[in-house]
Amino acid sequence: MIYFDAAATTFQKPKSVVEAVVRAMGTMSSPGRGNYASAGMASETLLRCRMELAELFGAEDPEGIVFTSNATHALNAAIHSLVKPGGRVVISGYEHNAVTRPLHAVENLSIHVVNTPLFQPQAMLEGFDRLVTPETDAVICTHVSNVFGYILPVREIAEICRSRKVPLILDASQSAGSLPVDQRVLQADFIAMPGHKGLYGPQGTGVLICRGDALPLLRGGTGSNSLEQEMPEFLPDRLEAGTHNVPGVAGLLAGVQFVRKLGVEEISRHAYRLKQQLAGALREEKNIEIFSSDDPELQAGVLSFIPRGQDVGAFCEQLGGAGFALRAGYHCAPFAHRTAGTVDTGTIRFSASAFNSGREVEALAAAVKKFTK
């Protein structure tokens, strides 16, 4: 199998990640729950992972790094902290269901959507500038569209938020580990991300970077303030109820170290080169519609395409039978498809990782052309 679905999860993991998970299973118990060696090793692993993440993402305090089960969990916690019934939020037209479904569940919430065309950041900035008012409870924005790889102008959006004193929640699900994300620059109130995509960690891991206070989404034991019935006031304990996924965090630590050693910029350049290679090959086919920008500032290593006159699911199944793993459909992001005009068909999504090669892209392009004809 040649795997091109890194936007869902990076299937190929560094050897160090697998080794770290296995080692943790045999040597670590619950952190903060005992004064013995295996508990101490678990606590040390969590602390080291927080520190590595803080370095990678410019977080002011490692204690503001909260471990979650995935990015959806992290986004729900952030939205729960800032968005109230009867409130007002502004989002981009490229948000994932991990953002829109929690918002939909808030009673009487006024949701304002910045719907602007693909790869037109100035139009998007004008939309946010128009809709973000001081009365806005929060702005919630993805860094990179999971469908189209469109890199949103989040630094400028963050500036608009700061100028109006409006909190910002950044969904870094498609950028963490593959594009620079710096909390010191963005000053977002929350940055949510998965561990299993660009950070090359195991599934079932996620991170919420908190700049300020947060409300607990889950309540339970933390190993601290155990005589009190209220959750602790301090982070990360305030948001980390229950036993941690210690093997997952150990693997995440190894994944973050892999990313830092390889370099976010190099990972980004590599994925974009592969995306460009496939886009160039598919542009030659009149029966293929692609959604691509030649500006690396506007698109990451994700490419959506549509075989004209064919069902995307059936076409992707053919590719799967030929040994290529891609994803077809709506990718849990109907807002993005409505914004881009692909809601009637969905798309086939190519997404590369550090483990893919140009030769693999060449083979995929040949298969796409074959099935198109």
Side-chain angles (χ1 to χ4, degrees), residues 24 44 79 120 143 156 173 202 233 247 254 256 258 288 312 322-323 332-333 337 349 360-361 363-364:
E44 181 183 353
I79 289 168
Q120 294 188 24
H143 191 173
E156 293 84 356
S173 293
E233 291 294 327
V256 173
F258 168 80
I288 294 286
V312 296
C332 301
H337 288 281
R349 184 185 67 190
E360 291 175 329
V361 173
L364 172 63

Side-chain angles (χ1 to χ4, degrees), residues 99-114:
V99 167
T100 59
R101 284 180 171 172
L103 293 178
H104 181 74
V106 179
E107 293 184 0
N108 301 317
L109 182 65
S110 176
I111 304 173
H112 299 263
V113 183
V114 180

Side-chain angles (χ1 to χ4, degrees), residues 6 37 47 51 62 70 87 142 158 201 241 243 257 291 323 349 367 370:
L47 177 59
M51 294 177 68
N70 46 48
T142 186
T243 301
Q257 291 171 334
F291 300 85
R349 184 185 67 190
K370 174 184 174 182

